[in-house]
């Protein structure tokens, strides 16, 4: 089912058609049950029998289409469920009517056998099919949600990842009330080089947990990779963006107790504000990155607002990995 849900185009329809023929086994079993209702041999009208089989195949095709592809509205799902019931009823009734008993005693078969027994089975089959339809649809929705979470969530911090950012940038344009805050940790490379990547991962995890406190319905936080984070504030003035940057810096530089040591790590933030006419999210990210590097040039542990003409070419050299004279103080873990 998972593989089939990722097939596209004509190949998808071919898979649908092939998978729909699984209905043939259900259909044939249904006719076999009818045969056991009588002791005499029973023949079947060819035309009605083929109509019954075709109705079953088309109904199964519809079920696969509704369950596996696209986000369907409630109206579409209700309509699909109704068509499914009609299709299954058509398959069953035409299959029953196709039976030809010896001596052409069809009226006796239809009225005395089909009504008391087969109509009960008909409604039972329809109820079971509706249940299967609902369960399959729900299972596929849960599967899509789980896959989307894996694709767009950073596994280390639980924040949105770069894939989520790229999707956001494609679908949205910033305005003058939008602010981008680009955060980069200071001396993070030295932490990795001196204490190891395991400690570096623990540090990133802790930073991610602290940044989650700044999320709300107007703010979203992405981990773009390494020690780079992006906060997008949808309704923010310049003053509000600067206040948020100050609060983040204070939160980031609080001591970290990791791997038996106390780490003191700061961050640098670049702020980019959207224009009145609307700005490209990609351009704003680039400008916020340039402002962040400017903040590092000015001494780190601060923020800087992007101004026209700032260039990322002025970026300082990152940590050399030769030690942590001011970033880490050895001590006992908490």
């Amino acid at each position: 089912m998972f593989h089939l849900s990722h097939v596209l185009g004509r190949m998808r329809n071919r898979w649908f058609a092939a998978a729909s023929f699984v209905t043939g086994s259900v259909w044939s079993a249904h006719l076999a049950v009818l045969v056991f209702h009588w002791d005499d041999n029973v023949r079947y009208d060819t035309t009605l029998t083929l109509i019954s089989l075709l109705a079953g195949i088309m109904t199964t095709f519809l079920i696969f289409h509704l369950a596996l592809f696209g986000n369907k509205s409630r109206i579409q799902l209700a309509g699909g469920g109704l068509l499914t019931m009609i299709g299954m009823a058509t398959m069953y009734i035409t299959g029953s009517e196709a039976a030809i008993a010896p001596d052409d005693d069809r009226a006796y078969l239809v009225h005395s056998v089909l009504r008391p027994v087969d109509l009960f089975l008909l409604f039972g089959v329809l109820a079971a099919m509706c249940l299967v339809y609902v369960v399959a649809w729900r299972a596929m929705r849960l599967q899509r949600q789980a896959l989307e979470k894996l694709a767009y969530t950073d596994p280390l911090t639980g924040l949105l990842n770069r894939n989520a950012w790229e999707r956001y940038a494609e679908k949205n344009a910033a305005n003058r009330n939008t602010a981008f805050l680009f955060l980069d940790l200071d001396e993070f490379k030295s932490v990795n080089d001196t204490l190891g990547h395991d400690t570096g991962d623990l540090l990133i995890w802790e930073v991610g947990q602290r940044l989650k406190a700044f999320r709300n319905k107007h703010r979203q936080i992405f981990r773009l990779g390494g020690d780079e984070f992006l906060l997008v504030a949808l309704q923010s003035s310049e003053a509000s963006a600067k206040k948020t940057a100050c609060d983040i810096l204070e939160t980031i530089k609080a001591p970290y107790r990791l791997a038996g040591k106390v780490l003191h790590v700061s961050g640098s933030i670049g702020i980019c504000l959207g224009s009145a006419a609307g700005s490209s999210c990609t351009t704003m990210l680039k400008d916020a990155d340039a402002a962040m590097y400017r903040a590092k040039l000015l001494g780190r542990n601060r923020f800087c607002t992007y101004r026209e003409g700032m260039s990322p070419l002025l970026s300082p050299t990152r940590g050399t990995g030769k030690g942590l004279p001011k970033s880490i103080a050895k001590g006992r873990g908490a």
Side-chain angles (χ1 to χ4, degrees):
M1 293 288 278
F2 171 78
H3 172 73
L4 183 57
S5 65
H6 287 72
V7 179
L8 300 175
R10 293 183 178 178
M11 186 58 68
R12 178 191 69 181
N13 291 330
R14 290 173 184 173
W15 270 104
F16 274 174
S20 297
F21 275 92
V22 73
T23 305
S25 61
V26 178
W27 170 83
S28 60
H30 151 70
L31 293 185
V33 170
L34 290 180
V35 171
F36 285 115
H37 287 176
W38 309 291
D39 295 330
D40 297 320
N41 294 326
V42 178
R43 296 181 296 109
Y44 288 90
D45 181 89
T46 303
T47 302
L48 289 178
T49 301
L50 292 178
I51 292 176
S52 175
L53 177 59
L54 182 61
I57 293 174
M58 292 181 65
T59 301
T60 309
F61 186 95
L62 175 63
I63 292 174
F64 282 149
H65 181 78
L66 289 173
L68 295 179
F69 285 91
N71 296 319
K72 305 295 189 302
S73 67
R74 292 183 178 180
I75 295 178
Q76 290 175 317
L77 290 173
L82 179 60
L83 290 175
T84 299
M85 294 181 65
I86 293 174
M88 295 304 298
T90 301
M91 181 190 77
Y92 190 89
I93 292 173
T94 54
S96 300
E97 290 294 324
I100 303 175
D103 302 325
D104 293 326
D105 193 7
R106 297 172 59 85
Y108 169 77
L109 294 177
V110 172
H111 295 288
S112 66
V113 179
L114 296 182
R115 281 195 173 181
V117 178
D118 292 345
L119 290 182
F120 174 78
L121 293 176
L122 170 61
F123 287 109
V125 169
L126 290 178
M129 289 301 300
C130 288
L131 179 61
V132 170
Y133 172 75
V134 171
V135 171
W137 172 74
R138 182 59 180 167
M140 299 315 301
R141 278 200 67 173
L142 291 175
Q143 182 191 61
R144 284 196 293 266
Q145 291 172 357
L147 292 175
E148 182 171 355
K149 184 176 181 180
L150 287 174
Y152 297 108
T153 302
D154 176 52
L156 181 58
T157 63
L159 298 172
L160 295 176
N161 61 13
R162 181 172 285 276
N163 291 335
W165 156 249
E166 291 175 351
R167 182 176 64 170
Y168 177 88
E170 289 178 358
K171 296 183 177 181
N172 296 275
N175 56 44
R176 64 181 177 181
N177 295 321
T178 303
F180 280 20
L181 282 69
F182 190 98
L183 167 68
D184 185 272
L185 300 182
D186 299 328
E187 300 289 353
F188 177 71
K189 184 177 185 300
S190 296
V191 174
N192 271 339
D193 292 346
T194 305
L195 299 179
H197 289 276
D198 290 342
T199 301
D201 286 345
L202 290 175
L203 175 60
I204 292 296
W205 180 86
E206 180 63 33
V207 170
Q209 305 318 298
R210 296 185 184 187
L211 289 177
K212 287 179 181 179
F214 295 90
R215 292 189 304 189
N216 58 39
K217 63 180 180 179
H218 298 305
R219 295 175 181 171
Q220 195 57 268
I221 300 177
F222 303 85
R223 183 193 175 203
L224 301 182
D227 60 330
E228 297 178 339
F229 299 86
L230 174 68
L231 184 148
V232 178
L234 297 180
Q235 296 183 9
S236 176
S237 63
E238 182 174 358
S240 177
K242 290 181 177 180
K243 175 65 167 57
T244 301
C246 288
D247 292 342
I248 291 176
L249 291 177
E250 287 299 316
T251 301
I252 293 300
K253 74 177 185 179
Y256 299 85
R257 292 175 173 83
L258 304 171
K261 302 184 186 304
V262 178
L263 280 67
H264 297 272
V265 178
S266 61
S268 298
I269 295 177
I271 301 174
C272 181
L273 304 170
S275 64
S279 305
S280 163
C281 288
T282 303
T283 300
M284 285 189 64
L285 176 62
K286 180 180 178 181
D287 293 342
D289 188 24
M292 181 274 295
Y293 279 123
R294 179 67 177 175
K296 286 186 179 291
L297 280 174
L298 294 175
R300 307 175 189 271
N301 189 31
R302 65 183 65 210
F303 67 85
C304 181
T305 303
Y306 177 79
R307 296 289 182 254
E308 193 69 30
M310 280 189 182
S311 172
L313 297 178
L314 298 176
S315 63
T317 303
R318 290 178 179 255
T320 61
K322 295 182 179 179
L324 299 174
K326 296 181 180 181
S327 298
I328 300 176
K330 294 183 179 180
R332 296 180 180 178

